[in-house]
Amino acid sequence: MIVNYRLILTFLMLNTLMSCNAALGDVEKKNDFINMNEDTIVFGAGCFWCVEAVFQQLKGVISVQPGYCDGKIKNPTYEQVCSGNTGHNEVARIIYDSSLISYIELLEVFWKTHDPTTINRQGNDIGTQYRSGIYCNNDEQLKMAESYKEKLNSSGVWKNPIVTEIKRLDVFYSAENYHVNYYNLNKNQPYCQFVIQPKLDKFRKVFKDKLAD
């Protein structure tokens, strides 16, 4: 039997080209779903259940993930952070669509939904893990937050100076699963009823034009 190696080689080459084109097509399809306006910021403003519940309400916010940052140990647990010995802050990582809500608008919500003048405290939640903080991904976010903070301090909106720490984000650790979507899953829990719900009621009145449908 005479074997036509050229025919076999041509067949193999065609298969390779078809596979490559199919792969490229898959990549192009995946790229169609990439949101070029997607951005991220991390806020600390007391208990992360409260922060999550507030920012979930905003139009343009894609997701909110409670977690920990700015501490001394890797992969901290909730119990370790609550001890106050790790240096971590309870925070929420907010992924948002900048074409629908701007970073400045998020900063406005951040500063108006907690007391940024109290050191290591929000209401009855006391400890370094409840400190006010903005953890930025780049220098532009950092400068804009610092400028906003300076203007607020100059305006005299608060009697005492703002103590919000503003720094570059080092590492963000996601909190345990039972913290995710906490308010929506635990509305009858006392903390949700007496702390988070009043905060949300006030927030919705002030930012009713920015709420998601």
Side-chain angles (χ1 to χ4, degrees):
M1 181 179 66
I2 299 174
V3 178
N4 191 331
Y5 290 102
R6 180 176 292 178
L7 182 61
I8 293 174
L9 182 60
T10 301
F11 179 79
L12 291 173
M13 290 175 66
L14 285 171
N15 275 348
T16 301
L17 287 170
M18 290 173 66
S19 297
C20 289
N21 287 335
L24 286 171
D26 289 340
V27 170
E28 289 172 358
K29 288 177 182 178
K30 289 178 182 177
N31 286 340
D32 288 342
F33 295 96
I34 294 174
N35 185 349
M36 301 304 293
N37 297 311
E38 190 174 295
D39 210 341
T40 307
I41 188 63
V42 174
F43 290 142
C47 173
F48 52 21
W49 298 340
C50 294
V51 183
E52 179 193 50
V54 166
F55 283 90
Q56 282 179 331
Q57 305 283 317
L58 291 170
K59 179 170 54 182
V61 168
I62 298 169
S63 69
V64 185
Q65 173 66 44
Y68 318 107
C69 75
D70 201 40
K72 297 179 290 188
I73 66 172
K74 295 180 179 179
N75 301 308
T77 65
Y78 181 63
E79 289 74 19
Q80 288 174 320
V81 172
C82 285
S83 74
N85 296 323
T86 70
H88 288 89
N89 196 3
E90 283 193 20
V91 296
R93 181 180 62 193
I94 296 140
I95 300 176
Y96 63 99
D97 185 335
S98 60
S99 69
L100 298 175
I101 188 166
S102 70
Y103 175 55
I104 291 296
E105 288 176 304
L106 291 174
L107 288 176
E108 181 186 5
V109 173
F110 166 78
W111 266 305
K112 286 187 177 180
T113 51
H114 79 295
D115 184 350
T117 69
T118 53
I119 299 176
N120 302 329
R121 178 174 186 168
Q122 287 299 310
N124 292 322
D125 293 325
I126 302 172
T128 56
Q129 69 271 29
Y130 300 119
R131 62 189 181 273
S132 177
I134 302 172
Y135 305 95
C136 307
N137 292 304
N138 52 60
D139 290 337
E140 183 179 5
Q141 285 185 343
L142 193 74
K143 290 176 182 176
M144 291 173 71
E146 288 175 338
S147 176
Y148 202 139
K149 177 181 174 180
E150 185 179 339
K151 289 178 181 177
L152 287 174
N153 272 326
S154 300
S155 70
V157 173
W158 285 280
K159 184 184 297 185
N160 298 315
I162 295 172
V163 296
T164 303
E165 63 180 17
I166 301 172
K167 56 176 66 176
R168 287 291 292 267
L169 177 67
D170 182 11
V171 181
F172 173 85
Y173 299 102
S174 294
E176 295 84 347
N177 286 337
Y178 67 88
H179 293 296
V180 177
N181 203 28
Y182 190 87
Y183 169 76
N184 290 322
L185 296 175
N186 299 275
K187 290 184 178 180
N188 293 325
Q189 196 249 33
Y191 189 91
C192 294
Q193 287 185 328
F194 300 113
V195 178
I196 301 179
Q197 187 60 57
K199 182 187 285 282
L200 284 178
D201 291 341
K202 181 180 178 181
F203 158 75
R204 287 175 181 140
K205 289 179 182 178
V206 175
F207 293 101
K208 58 184 177 181
D209 60 322
K210 290 181 170 49
L211 299 180
D213 296 332

